[in-house]
Amino acid sequence: MLRSLKEVRGYRILAVDGPIGNVHDFFFDDTSWIVRYIIVDTGAWLPGRKVLLVPSAVEQPSWETRTLPVKMTKDQIKQSPDIDADKSVSRYHEIELHKYYNWVPYWSLPHQGIAPGIPPVARLVPIAGTVKPGKPPEGAAAADEEKVDPHLRSVKEVTGYHIQAADGGIGHVEELIADDDNWVIRYMVIDTKNWLPGQKVLVPPSWIVSVSWEEAKVFINLPRETIKNSPEFNPGDPVNRQYEEKLYDYYGRPKYWT
């Protein structure tokens, strides 16, 4: 099912032996638009600390009670490598985190389902060096491994980015909608209130021409009038397959589920 990541922020995270905090944000990979980490604010339990969890660590969520159970104990999480989740993460720290939890590193897996249409500038392959557990990299490897992964982006950061159509600005990113089965981001919700008061529309990341991370702008090669007449999105209604069929048919684009 498709869910707003903005809605999931604030959900409680439950370890096998009790609550550890709430969803604070997400890091997604801008080459595949897949959520790589859930950023958890541990609140009063571990004051001043945030921890990273991979989505695959989440068991069956309870959407009704707004909780995400995870397959680890509170002590495991407490003893996990300390990472500054308010900043982007270096590959070295990712490696240490995955080794600690015995997670399969996503960068070692085969093709990660890069969405068609994502431009080459957003497909630079992250460095995936090797290090021994507990031993920092040395020399040139250290310089590479300590670099932050340029492809991990905060959902909160991208929220508010300006959208540039082929013939001018049309609004800003209000939220991102992901598939709760595989955590692939399927849509950006564009708020056009500065141009079309009250109207919101959906655009898949695969239709993006480019993203200027420095200017906080997303470029889409579609005329504003075309976007204006697209099926309107109502945040109060779930994004179901019927709506998706209508959206893709309107634009004449190939559907991701076929």
Side-chain angles (χ1 to χ4, degrees):
M1 186 173 176
L2 298 177
R3 297 190 183 276
S4 161
L5 293 180
K6 183 178 180 180
E7 173 200 331
V8 178
R9 288 207 301 264
Y11 275 32
R12 285 196 310 156
I13 302 292
L14 297 179
V16 295
D17 52 352
I20 64 162
N22 300 86
V23 177
H24 174 73
D25 196 4
F26 304 87
F27 280 136
F28 70 94
D29 186 331
D30 69 17
T31 62
S32 61
W33 291 77
I34 295 174
V35 173
R36 298 300 186 192
Y37 298 106
I38 301 169
I39 304 174
V40 182
D41 187 340
T42 57
W45 178 56
L46 294 175
R49 186 177 173 193
K50 296 183 179 70
V51 296
L52 300 183
L53 300 175
V54 292
S56 59
V58 176
E59 297 184 299
Q60 183 60 45
S62 174
W63 305 112
E64 294 75 18
T65 61
R66 297 172 56 87
T67 56
L68 302 179
V70 294
K71 299 174 285 188
M72 63 254 317
T73 66
K74 294 176 72 172
D75 190 59
Q76 277 181 296
I77 295 168
K78 183 177 181 180
Q79 301 301 325
S80 66
D82 197 5
I83 294 173
D84 189 349
D86 288 323
K87 300 178 181 178
S88 197
V89 183
S90 72
R91 180 47 52 87
Y92 171 70
H93 285 112
E94 285 190 276
I95 291 171
E96 289 298 293
L97 189 67
H98 281 71
K99 285 180 178 177
Y100 174 79
Y101 284 116
N102 199 29
W103 293 333
V104 177
Y106 65 85
W107 57 88
S108 70
L109 298 174
H111 178 66
Q112 284 293 298
I114 295 176
I118 297 298
V121 326
R123 290 187 176 183
L124 300 176
V125 179
I127 298 167
T130 57
V131 296
K132 294 181 180 180
K135 181 180 179 181
E138 299 177 355
D144 284 340
E145 296 297 343
E146 284 301 322
K147 291 178 181 176
V148 297
D149 187 335
H151 299 293
L152 287 179
R153 306 286 178 179
S154 158
V155 168
K156 280 188 176 181
E157 172 203 344
V158 174
T159 303
Y161 273 28
H162 295 288
I163 305 293
Q164 293 290 125
D167 51 355
I170 60 169
H172 66 269
V173 178
E174 180 167 286
E175 57 182 307
L176 300 177
I177 293 176
D179 189 326
D180 64 20
D181 182 48
N182 52 25
W183 294 86
V184 175
I185 294 172
R186 294 296 182 192
Y187 298 104
M188 293 188 308
V189 178
I190 300 176
D191 188 339
T192 66
K193 66 182 179 183
N194 295 330
W195 180 57
L196 296 172
Q199 184 167 330
K200 293 179 173 63
V201 294
L202 299 187
V203 173
S206 58
W207 299 359
I208 295 171
V209 174
S210 63
V211 180
S212 173
W213 305 106
E214 297 76 17
E215 297 178 292
K217 289 183 178 180
V218 178
F219 296 86
I220 303 170
N221 191 24
L222 291 167
R224 295 199 296 178
E225 192 67 20
T226 300
I227 297 172
K228 173 184 176 182
N229 295 320
S230 68
E232 186 172 354
F233 168 65
N234 183 353
D237 296 332
V239 180
N240 54 30
R241 188 48 50 84
Q242 181 181 4
Y243 174 86
E244 290 185 287
E245 292 269 5
K246 186 178 179 181
L247 182 71
Y248 277 79
D249 287 345
Y250 170 78
Y251 283 107
R253 300 292 183 104
K255 302 174 177 68
Y256 69 84
W257 60 88
T258 58

mmCIF file of all heavy atoms in Angstrom, residues 90-127:
data_model
loop_
_atom_site.group_PDB
_atom_site.id
_atom_site.type_symbol
_atom_site.label_atom_id
_atom_site.label_comp_id
_atom_site.label_asym_id
_atom_site.label_seq_id
_atom_site.Cartn_x
_atom_site.Cartn_y
_atom_site.Cartn_z
ATOM 1 N N SER A 90 28.596 8.597 6.497
ATOM 2 C CA SER A 90 29.730 8.118 5.701
ATOM 3 C C SER A 90 29.557 6.633 5.419
ATOM 4 O O SER A 90 28.904 5.907 6.183
ATOM 5 C CB SER A 90 31.048 8.354 6.437
ATOM 6 O OG SER A 90 31.172 7.459 7.531
ATOM 7 N N ARG A 91 30.168 6.159 4.336
ATOM 8 C CA ARG A 91 30.073 4.740 4.010
ATOM 9 C C ARG A 91 30.734 3.893 5.092
ATOM 10 O O ARG A 91 30.268 2.793 5.399
ATOM 11 C CB ARG A 91 30.702 4.489 2.639
ATOM 12 C CG ARG A 91 30.682 3.025 2.165
ATOM 13 C CD ARG A 91 29.334 2.328 2.322
ATOM 14 N NE ARG A 91 28.216 3.036 1.751
ATOM 15 C CZ ARG A 91 27.850 2.911 0.477
ATOM 16 N NH1 ARG A 91 28.536 2.146 -0.349
ATOM 17 N NH2 ARG A 91 26.796 3.565 0.041
ATOM 18 N N TYR A 92 31.803 4.391 5.697
ATOM 19 C CA TYR A 92 32.446 3.644 6.776
ATOM 20 C C TYR A 92 31.464 3.394 7.920
ATOM 21 O O TYR A 92 31.363 2.280 8.428
ATOM 22 C CB TYR A 92 33.678 4.396 7.290
ATOM 23 C CG TYR A 92 34.248 3.788 8.550
ATOM 24 C CD1 TYR A 92 34.885 2.541 8.522
ATOM 25 C CD2 TYR A 92 34.117 4.435 9.787
ATOM 26 C CE1 TYR A 92 35.392 1.970 9.667
ATOM 27 C CE2 TYR A 92 34.628 3.861 10.942
ATOM 28 C CZ TYR A 92 35.260 2.633 10.881
ATOM 29 O OH TYR A 92 35.746 2.061 12.024
ATOM 30 N N HIS A 93 30.712 4.428 8.319
ATOM 31 C CA HIS A 93 29.755 4.254 9.405
ATOM 32 C C HIS A 93 28.597 3.347 8.991
ATOM 33 O O HIS A 93 28.057 2.602 9.822
ATOM 34 C CB HIS A 93 29.226 5.620 9.867
ATOM 35 C CG HIS A 93 30.215 6.389 10.685
ATOM 36 N ND1 HIS A 93 30.811 7.551 10.239
ATOM 37 C CD2 HIS A 93 30.740 6.146 11.912
ATOM 38 C CE1 HIS A 93 31.634 7.998 11.161
ATOM 39 N NE2 HIS A 93 31.621 7.168 12.188
ATOM 40 N N GLU A 94 28.224 3.400 7.719
ATOM 41 C CA GLU A 94 27.198 2.468 7.237
ATOM 42 C C GLU A 94 27.687 1.027 7.354
ATOM 43 O O GLU A 94 26.944 0.136 7.779
ATOM 44 C CB GLU A 94 26.847 2.771 5.780
ATOM 45 C CG GLU A 94 25.994 3.994 5.564
ATOM 46 C CD GLU A 94 25.502 4.075 4.135
ATOM 47 O OE1 GLU A 94 26.252 4.581 3.271
ATOM 48 O OE2 GLU A 94 24.371 3.619 3.872
ATOM 49 N N ILE A 95 28.935 0.802 6.974
ATOM 50 C CA ILE A 95 29.503 -0.548 7.044
ATOM 51 C C ILE A 95 29.511 -1.041 8.489
ATOM 52 O O ILE A 95 29.118 -2.182 8.782
ATOM 53 C CB ILE A 95 30.926 -0.563 6.448
ATOM 54 C CG1 ILE A 95 30.866 -0.350 4.931
ATOM 55 C CG2 ILE A 95 31.638 -1.884 6.762
ATOM 56 C CD1 ILE A 95 32.211 -0.128 4.276
ATOM 57 N N GLU A 96 29.956 -0.195 9.405
ATOM 58 C CA GLU A 96 29.990 -0.578 10.807
ATOM 59 C C GLU A 96 28.592 -0.891 11.338
ATOM 60 O O GLU A 96 28.403 -1.846 12.098
ATOM 61 C CB GLU A 96 30.625 0.552 11.629
ATOM 62 C CG GLU A 96 32.115 0.710 11.391
ATOM 63 C CD GLU A 96 32.897 -0.532 11.781
ATOM 64 O OE1 GLU A 96 32.944 -0.843 12.989
ATOM 65 O OE2 GLU A 96 33.439 -1.200 10.886
ATOM 66 N N LEU A 97 27.613 -0.104 10.935
ATOM 67 C CA LEU A 97 26.241 -0.308 11.386
ATOM 68 C C LEU A 97 25.692 -1.637 10.874
ATOM 69 O O LEU A 97 25.079 -2.409 11.614
ATOM 70 C CB LEU A 97 25.356 0.850 10.909
ATOM 71 C CG LEU A 97 23.929 0.913 11.458
ATOM 72 C CD1 LEU A 97 23.950 1.200 12.960
ATOM 73 C CD2 LEU A 97 23.119 1.983 10.727
ATOM 74 N N HIS A 98 25.920 -1.912 9.588
ATOM 75 C CA HIS A 98 25.421 -3.158 9.006
ATOM 76 C C HIS A 98 26.122 -4.374 9.607
ATOM 77 O O HIS A 98 25.495 -5.426 9.813
ATOM 78 C CB HIS A 98 25.588 -3.134 7.480
ATOM 79 C CG HIS A 98 24.527 -2.343 6.777
ATOM 80 N ND1 HIS A 98 24.460 -0.979 6.844
ATOM 81 C CD2 HIS A 98 23.478 -2.743 6.001
ATOM 82 C CE1 HIS A 98 23.427 -0.550 6.133
ATOM 83 N NE2 HIS A 98 22.821 -1.592 5.625
ATOM 84 N N LYS A 99 27.406 -4.246 9.908
ATOM 85 C CA LYS A 99 28.122 -5.366 10.524
ATOM 86 C C LYS A 99 27.615 -5.612 11.942
ATOM 87 O O LYS A 99 27.466 -6.761 12.356
ATOM 88 C CB LYS A 99 29.624 -5.087 10.527
ATOM 89 C CG LYS A 99 30.272 -5.259 9.164
ATOM 90 C CD LYS A 99 31.755 -4.962 9.233
ATOM 91 C CE LYS A 99 32.400 -5.201 7.864
ATOM 92 N NZ LYS A 99 33.839 -4.843 7.873
ATOM 93 N N TYR A 100 27.348 -4.541 12.648
ATOM 94 C CA TYR A 100 26.877 -4.685 14.033
ATOM 95 C C TYR A 100 25.557 -5.447 14.082
ATOM 96 O O TYR A 100 25.376 -6.354 14.905
ATOM 97 C CB TYR A 100 26.719 -3.300 14.662
ATOM 98 C CG TYR A 100 26.106 -3.339 16.046
ATOM 99 C CD1 TYR A 100 26.872 -3.667 17.162
ATOM 100 C CD2 TYR A 100 24.744 -3.056 16.229
ATOM 101 C CE1 TYR A 100 26.300 -3.717 18.433
ATOM 102 C CE2 TYR A 100 24.172 -3.102 17.497
ATOM 103 C CZ TYR A 100 24.954 -3.439 18.589
ATOM 104 O OH TYR A 100 24.383 -3.490 19.837
ATOM 105 N N TYR A 101 24.626 -5.100 13.223
ATOM 106 C CA TYR A 101 23.316 -5.747 13.229
ATOM 107 C C TYR A 101 23.256 -6.984 12.329
ATOM 108 O O TYR A 101 22.224 -7.659 12.281
ATOM 109 C CB TYR A 101 22.243 -4.761 12.749
ATOM 110 C CG TYR A 101 21.841 -3.723 13.772
ATOM 111 C CD1 TYR A 101 22.075 -2.366 13.548
ATOM 112 C CD2 TYR A 101 21.196 -4.094 14.955
ATOM 113 C CE1 TYR A 101 21.673 -1.403 14.480
ATOM 114 C CE2 TYR A 101 20.797 -3.144 15.887
ATOM 115 C CZ TYR A 101 21.042 -1.804 15.644
ATOM 116 O OH TYR A 101 20.653 -0.855 16.556
ATOM 117 N N ASN A 102 24.321 -7.232 11.593
ATOM 118 C CA ASN A 102 24.334 -8.337 10.631
ATOM 119 C C ASN A 102 23.292 -8.140 9.533
ATOM 120 O O ASN A 102 22.646 -9.079 9.077
ATOM 121 C CB ASN A 102 24.112 -9.683 11.332
ATOM 122 C CG ASN A 102 24.567 -10.857 10.474
ATOM 123 O OD1 ASN A 102 25.480 -10.729 9.652
ATOM 124 N ND2 ASN A 102 23.930 -11.999 10.642
ATOM 125 N N TRP A 103 23.121 -6.884 9.123
ATOM 126 C CA TRP A 103 22.253 -6.576 8.003
ATOM 127 C C TRP A 103 23.002 -6.795 6.693
ATOM 128 O O TRP A 103 24.219 -6.609 6.627
ATOM 129 C CB TRP A 103 21.801 -5.118 8.054
ATOM 130 C CG TRP A 103 20.901 -4.770 9.190
ATOM 131 C CD1 TRP A 103 20.048 -5.597 9.863
ATOM 132 C CD2 TRP A 103 20.752 -3.475 9.793
ATOM 133 N NE1 TRP A 103 19.375 -4.909 10.842
ATOM 134 C CE2 TRP A 103 19.784 -3.605 10.825
ATOM 135 C CE3 TRP A 103 21.325 -2.228 9.551
ATOM 136 C CZ2 TRP A 103 19.389 -2.531 11.612
ATOM 137 C CZ3 TRP A 103 20.928 -1.152 10.341
ATOM 138 C CH2 TRP A 103 19.975 -1.301 11.360
ATOM 139 N N VAL A 104 22.276 -7.168 5.659
ATOM 140 C CA VAL A 104 22.880 -7.293 4.332
ATOM 141 C C VAL A 104 23.025 -5.894 3.744
ATOM 142 O O VAL A 104 22.024 -5.190 3.587
ATOM 143 C CB VAL A 104 22.019 -8.169 3.402
ATOM 144 C CG1 VAL A 104 22.636 -8.225 2.007
ATOM 145 C CG2 VAL A 104 21.865 -9.570 3.977
ATOM 146 N N PRO A 105 24.255 -5.450 3.420
ATOM 147 C CA PRO A 105 24.439 -4.095 2.876
ATOM 148 C C PRO A 105 23.714 -3.921 1.549
ATOM 149 O O PRO A 105 23.865 -4.742 0.638
ATOM 150 C CB PRO A 105 25.958 -3.982 2.693
ATOM 151 C CG PRO A 105 26.533 -5.047 3.562
ATOM 152 C CD PRO A 105 25.531 -6.163 3.571
ATOM 153 N N TYR A 106 22.919 -2.876 1.430
ATOM 154 C CA TYR A 106 22.156 -2.657 0.196
ATOM 155 C C TYR A 106 23.072 -2.413 -0.993
ATOM 156 O O TYR A 106 22.728 -2.729 -2.134
ATOM 157 C CB TYR A 106 21.173 -1.499 0.370
ATOM 158 C CG TYR A 106 21.800 -0.143 0.604
ATOM 159 C CD1 TYR A 106 22.219 0.660 -0.453
ATOM 160 C CD2 TYR A 106 21.975 0.348 1.895
ATOM 161 C CE1 TYR A 106 22.794 1.905 -0.236
ATOM 162 C CE2 TYR A 106 22.546 1.590 2.119
ATOM 163 C CZ TYR A 106 22.953 2.356 1.054
ATOM 164 O OH TYR A 106 23.522 3.589 1.281
ATOM 165 N N TRP A 107 24.271 -1.834 -0.743
ATOM 166 C CA TRP A 107 25.178 -1.521 -1.851
ATOM 167 C C TRP A 107 25.873 -2.772 -2.404
ATOM 168 O O TRP A 107 26.498 -2.712 -3.444
ATOM 169 C CB TRP A 107 26.225 -0.495 -1.412
ATOM 170 C CG TRP A 107 27.047 -0.909 -0.226
ATOM 171 C CD1 TRP A 107 28.213 -1.639 -0.244
ATOM 172 C CD2 TRP A 107 26.757 -0.639 1.148
ATOM 173 N NE1 TRP A 107 28.655 -1.829 1.044
ATOM 174 C CE2 TRP A 107 27.794 -1.225 1.914
ATOM 175 C CE3 TRP A 107 25.740 0.045 1.798
ATOM 176 C CZ2 TRP A 107 27.832 -1.148 3.305
ATOM 177 C CZ3 TRP A 107 25.778 0.118 3.177
ATOM 178 C CH2 TRP A 107 26.801 -0.459 3.926
ATOM 179 N N SER A 108 25.739 -3.916 -1.692
ATOM 180 C CA SER A 108 26.342 -5.160 -2.181
ATOM 181 C C SER A 108 25.339 -6.009 -2.959
ATOM 182 O O SER A 108 25.697 -7.036 -3.530
ATOM 183 C CB SER A 108 26.880 -5.978 -1.006
ATOM 184 O OG SER A 108 25.817 -6.496 -0.214
ATOM 185 N N LEU A 109 24.071 -5.566 -2.972
ATOM 186 C CA LEU A 109 23.028 -6.327 -3.656
ATOM 187 C C LEU A 109 23.046 -6.035 -5.152
ATOM 188 O O LEU A 109 23.583 -5.015 -5.593
ATOM 189 C CB LEU A 109 21.656 -5.973 -3.071
ATOM 190 C CG LEU A 109 21.463 -6.316 -1.589
ATOM 191 C CD1 LEU A 109 20.124 -5.774 -1.100
ATOM 192 C CD2 LEU A 109 21.534 -7.810 -1.360
ATOM 193 N N PRO A 110 22.447 -6.935 -5.952
ATOM 194 C CA PRO A 110 22.331 -6.668 -7.385
ATOM 195 C C PRO A 110 21.489 -5.426 -7.637
ATOM 196 O O PRO A 110 21.027 -4.774 -6.710
ATOM 197 C CB PRO A 110 21.631 -7.921 -7.943
ATOM 198 C CG PRO A 110 21.707 -8.939 -6.877
ATOM 199 C CD PRO A 110 21.885 -8.215 -5.574
ATOM 200 N N HIS A 111 21.241 -5.170 -8.893
ATOM 201 C CA HIS A 111 20.469 -3.999 -9.351
ATOM 202 C C HIS A 111 19.353 -3.636 -8.392
ATOM 203 O O HIS A 111 18.530 -4.458 -8.028
ATOM 204 C CB HIS A 111 19.894 -4.315 -10.728
ATOM 205 C CG HIS A 111 19.053 -3.210 -11.289
ATOM 206 N ND1 HIS A 111 19.556 -1.991 -11.636
ATOM 207 C CD2 HIS A 111 17.727 -3.165 -11.565
ATOM 208 C CE1 HIS A 111 18.593 -1.229 -12.106
ATOM 209 N NE2 HIS A 111 17.464 -1.911 -12.066
ATOM 210 N N GLN A 112 19.340 -2.377 -7.952
ATOM 211 C CA GLN A 112 18.416 -1.933 -6.914
ATOM 212 C C GLN A 112 17.145 -1.301 -7.447
ATOM 213 O O GLN A 112 16.493 -0.531 -6.756
ATOM 214 C CB GLN A 112 19.143 -0.937 -6.007
ATOM 215 C CG GLN A 112 20.102 -1.604 -5.061
ATOM 216 C CD GLN A 112 19.371 -2.462 -4.037
ATOM 217 O OE1 GLN A 112 18.583 -1.984 -3.253
ATOM 218 N NE2 GLN A 112 19.632 -3.746 -4.044
ATOM 219 N N GLY A 113 16.794 -1.584 -8.690
ATOM 220 C CA GLY A 113 15.530 -1.075 -9.200
ATOM 221 C C GLY A 113 15.536 0.418 -9.437
ATOM 222 O O GLY A 113 14.608 1.110 -9.045
ATOM 223 N N ILE A 114 16.602 0.936 -10.086
ATOM 224 C CA ILE A 114 16.656 2.360 -10.388
ATOM 225 C C ILE A 114 15.473 2.712 -11.285
ATOM 226 O O ILE A 114 15.235 2.092 -12.303
ATOM 227 C CB ILE A 114 17.981 2.727 -11.086
ATOM 228 C CG1 ILE A 114 19.159 2.484 -10.131
ATOM 229 C CG2 ILE A 114 17.972 4.159 -11.559
ATOM 230 C CD1 ILE A 114 20.497 2.710 -10.746
ATOM 231 N N ALA A 115 14.739 3.696 -10.880
ATOM 232 C CA ALA A 115 13.547 4.075 -11.633
ATOM 233 C C ALA A 115 13.925 4.612 -12.996
ATOM 234 O O ALA A 115 14.842 5.406 -13.112
ATOM 235 C CB ALA A 115 12.763 5.127 -10.854
ATOM 236 N N PRO A 116 13.257 4.162 -14.069
ATOM 237 C CA PRO A 116 13.554 4.692 -15.390
ATOM 238 C C PRO A 116 13.324 6.189 -15.444
ATOM 239 O O PRO A 116 12.372 6.702 -14.869
ATOM 240 C CB PRO A 116 12.554 3.949 -16.294
ATOM 241 C CG PRO A 116 11.464 3.502 -15.385
ATOM 242 C CD PRO A 116 12.123 3.242 -14.069
ATOM 243 N N GLY A 117 14.228 6.891 -16.115
ATOM 244 C CA GLY A 117 14.075 8.327 -16.254
ATOM 245 C C GLY A 117 14.888 9.132 -15.270
ATOM 246 O O GLY A 117 15.020 10.336 -15.419
ATOM 247 N N ILE A 118 15.431 8.487 -14.215
ATOM 248 C CA ILE A 118 16.291 9.223 -13.294
ATOM 249 C C ILE A 118 17.566 9.572 -14.045
ATOM 250 O O ILE A 118 18.212 8.717 -14.618
ATOM 251 C CB ILE A 118 16.625 8.382 -12.054
ATOM 252 C CG1 ILE A 118 15.343 8.067 -11.288
ATOM 253 C CG2 ILE A 118 17.594 9.115 -11.150
ATOM 254 C CD1 ILE A 118 14.618 9.277 -10.767
ATOM 255 N N PRO A 119 17.942 10.844 -14.104
ATOM 256 C CA PRO A 119 19.043 11.287 -14.938
ATOM 257 C C PRO A 119 20.397 10.759 -14.495
ATOM 258 O O PRO A 119 20.582 10.437 -13.324
ATOM 259 C CB PRO A 119 18.998 12.816 -14.797
ATOM 260 C CG PRO A 119 18.351 13.033 -13.480
ATOM 261 C CD PRO A 119 17.363 11.929 -13.311
ATOM 262 N N PRO A 120 21.363 10.659 -15.443
ATOM 263 C CA PRO A 120 22.684 10.145 -15.103
ATOM 264 C C PRO A 120 23.347 10.896 -13.959
ATOM 265 O O PRO A 120 24.100 10.340 -13.192
ATOM 266 C CB PRO A 120 23.469 10.326 -16.406
ATOM 267 C CG PRO A 120 22.439 10.324 -17.480
ATOM 268 C CD PRO A 120 21.230 10.967 -16.867
ATOM 269 N N VAL A 121 23.088 12.200 -13.793
ATOM 270 C CA VAL A 121 23.755 12.954 -12.745
ATOM 271 C C VAL A 121 23.336 12.446 -11.373
ATOM 272 O O VAL A 121 24.045 12.640 -10.405
ATOM 273 C CB VAL A 121 23.463 14.465 -12.815
ATOM 274 C CG1 VAL A 121 23.301 14.940 -14.188
ATOM 275 C CG2 VAL A 121 22.360 14.898 -11.968
ATOM 276 N N ALA A 122 22.194 11.779 -11.291
ATOM 277 C CA ALA A 122 21.742 11.251 -10.010
ATOM 278 C C ALA A 122 22.052 9.771 -9.867
ATOM 279 O O ALA A 122 21.600 9.120 -8.957
ATOM 280 C CB ALA A 122 20.239 11.464 -9.855
ATOM 281 N N ARG A 123 22.856 9.232 -10.809
ATOM 282 C CA ARG A 123 23.146 7.806 -10.775
ATOM 283 C C ARG A 123 24.611 7.505 -10.462
ATOM 284 O O ARG A 123 25.096 6.424 -10.742
ATOM 285 C CB ARG A 123 22.792 7.171 -12.122
ATOM 286 C CG ARG A 123 21.299 7.099 -12.389
ATOM 287 C CD ARG A 123 21.026 6.306 -13.637
ATOM 288 N NE ARG A 123 19.595 6.153 -13.842
ATOM 289 C CZ ARG A 123 19.088 5.438 -14.833
ATOM 290 N NH1 ARG A 123 19.858 4.840 -15.690
ATOM 291 N NH2 ARG A 123 17.781 5.333 -14.971
ATOM 292 N N LEU A 124 25.331 8.467 -9.950
ATOM 293 C CA LEU A 124 26.714 8.229 -9.577
ATOM 294 C C LEU A 124 26.755 7.121 -8.543
ATOM 295 O O LEU A 124 26.032 7.145 -7.566
ATOM 296 C CB LEU A 124 27.343 9.508 -9.018
ATOM 297 C CG LEU A 124 27.351 10.695 -9.994
ATOM 298 C CD1 LEU A 124 27.916 11.908 -9.291
ATOM 299 C CD2 LEU A 124 28.188 10.365 -11.221
ATOM 300 N N VAL A 125 27.620 6.142 -8.734
ATOM 301 C CA VAL A 125 27.642 4.978 -7.856
ATOM 302 C C VAL A 125 28.412 5.296 -6.580
ATOM 303 O O VAL A 125 29.558 5.730 -6.633
ATOM 304 C CB VAL A 125 28.300 3.777 -8.570
ATOM 305 C CG1 VAL A 125 28.337 2.577 -7.646
ATOM 306 C CG2 VAL A 125 27.538 3.452 -9.847
ATOM 307 N N PRO A 126 27.818 5.100 -5.405
ATOM 308 C CA PRO A 126 28.531 5.362 -4.164
ATOM 309 C C PRO A 126 29.728 4.435 -4.011
ATOM 310 O O PRO A 126 29.720 3.304 -4.476
ATOM 311 C CB PRO A 126 27.492 5.069 -3.077
ATOM 312 C CG PRO A 126 26.179 5.062 -3.774
ATOM 313 C CD PRO A 126 26.464 4.640 -5.176
ATOM 314 N N ILE A 127 30.763 4.923 -3.334
ATOM 315 C CA ILE A 127 31.943 4.101 -3.076
ATOM 316 C C ILE A 127 31.575 3.029 -2.075
ATOM 317 O O ILE A 127 30.964 3.293 -1.060
ATOM 318 C CB ILE A 127 33.077 4.977 -2.520
ATOM 319 C CG1 ILE A 127 33.470 6.022 -3.557
ATOM 320 C CG2 ILE A 127 34.278 4.155 -2.115
ATOM 321 C CD1 ILE A 127 34.338 7.120 -3.009
#
